[in-house]
Amino acid sequence: DTGVSQDPRHKITKRGQNVTFRCDPISEHNRLYWYRQTLGQGPEFLTYFQNEAQLEKSRLLSDRFSAERPKGSFSTLEIQRTEQGDSAMYLCASSLLKGGGTDTQYFGPGTRLTVL
Amino acid sequence: QKEVEQNSGPLSVPEGAIASLNCTYSDRGSQSFFWYRQYSGKSPELIMFIYSNGDKEDGRFTAQLNKASQYVSLLIRDSQPSDSATYLCAVNHNTDKLIFGTGTRLQVFP
């Protein structure tokens, strides 16, 4: 257990429904990342926050996806109008970036999304 | 060309042998390099990272980095069946997002 928690661990939804995932990072970590992983592939970057600011979004993150990190603590990732292609494991990672240091990211257990 | 390339395997080694996992990357500006282990159905678990040329050892694991050749490797000494997993190589450009390879599946047989 890295100390990063995600909820729910599994989500099954029907196409067209909206879903929201939550990530709680390690308490003192200032950075929070979202990745998506499909079978046989490595995780793909979606977006990340430093404190409450969203610093980068991947082109993979269509306008159906939105992420927030209010108050720089937990984060939510919402997918609107889900499609079958959204089925994947959604991974959250957190890190503590200090000046000149290495941004070492620790992953949570993931949320497995299945869109029927 | 993919940014981070790994042989998908499986790499099969007998128990007690040295497993050698390799990774190449395309961006010469890459700064930090990470190895994660991922068991089936689980999330990636950090093994170690390296950012300077040469070797870095941590227990049974040794990471090797050659920036001139854009090559990073992970050696696992005294391989155990519990080491059987997918090993993900990840590269960090500017102390932000990680770019992952597709992973190498390692099988350690008794």
Side-chain angles (χ1 to χ4, degrees), chain B residues 12-64:
Chain B
S12 293
V13 300
E15 184 174 357
I18 296 175
S20 178
L21 304 159
N22 304 315
C23 172
T24 59
Y25 59 94
S26 60
D27 189 336
R28 287 193 172 274
S30 300
Q31 298 178 343
S32 302
F33 307 85
F34 300 79
W35 285 99
Y36 287 83
R37 176 174 62 195
Q38 187 171 31
Y39 293 110
S40 181
K42 303 295 185 182
S43 64
E45 172 192 5
L46 179 68
I47 298 174
M48 62 191 304
F49 67 87
I50 187 168
Y51 52 84
S52 299
N53 275 328
D55 294 0
K56 179 181 179 183
E57 186 174 321
D58 184 359
R60 295 188 296 114
F61 300 98
T62 299
Q64 300 175 316

Side-chain angles (χ1 to χ4, degrees), chain B:
Chain B
Q1 181 189 8
K2 293 184 180 178
E3 291 195 58
V4 180
E5 297 210 43
Q6 296 181 257
N7 188 318
S8 61
L11 173 65
S12 293
V13 300
E15 184 174 357
I18 296 175
S20 178
L21 304 159
N22 304 315
C23 172
T24 59
Y25 59 94
S26 60
D27 189 336
R28 287 193 172 274
S30 300
Q31 298 178 343
S32 302
F33 307 85
F34 300 79
W35 285 99
Y36 287 83
R37 176 174 62 195
Q38 187 171 31
Y39 293 110
S40 181
K42 303 295 185 182
S43 64
E45 172 192 5
L46 179 68
I47 298 174
M48 62 191 304
F49 67 87
I50 187 168
Y51 52 84
S52 299
N53 275 328
D55 294 0
K56 179 181 179 183
E57 186 174 321
D58 184 359
R60 295 188 296 114
F61 300 98
T62 299
Q64 300 175 316
L65 175 60
N66 183 326
K67 290 187 178 180
S69 300
Q70 296 174 247
Y71 177 92
V72 59
S73 65
L74 179 71
L75 301 179
I76 306 175
R77 288 181 298 281
D78 189 24
S79 296
Q80 301 297 308
S82 59
D83 294 326
S84 298
T86 296
Y87 288 79
L88 296 164
C89 172
V91 171
N92 183 301
H93 291 233
N94 294 306
T95 63
D96 50 28
K97 63 181 179 287
L98 293 174
I99 308 297
F100 284 86
T102 55
T104 298
R105 189 156 65 94
L106 173 66
Q107 294 178 336
V108 181
F109 56 92

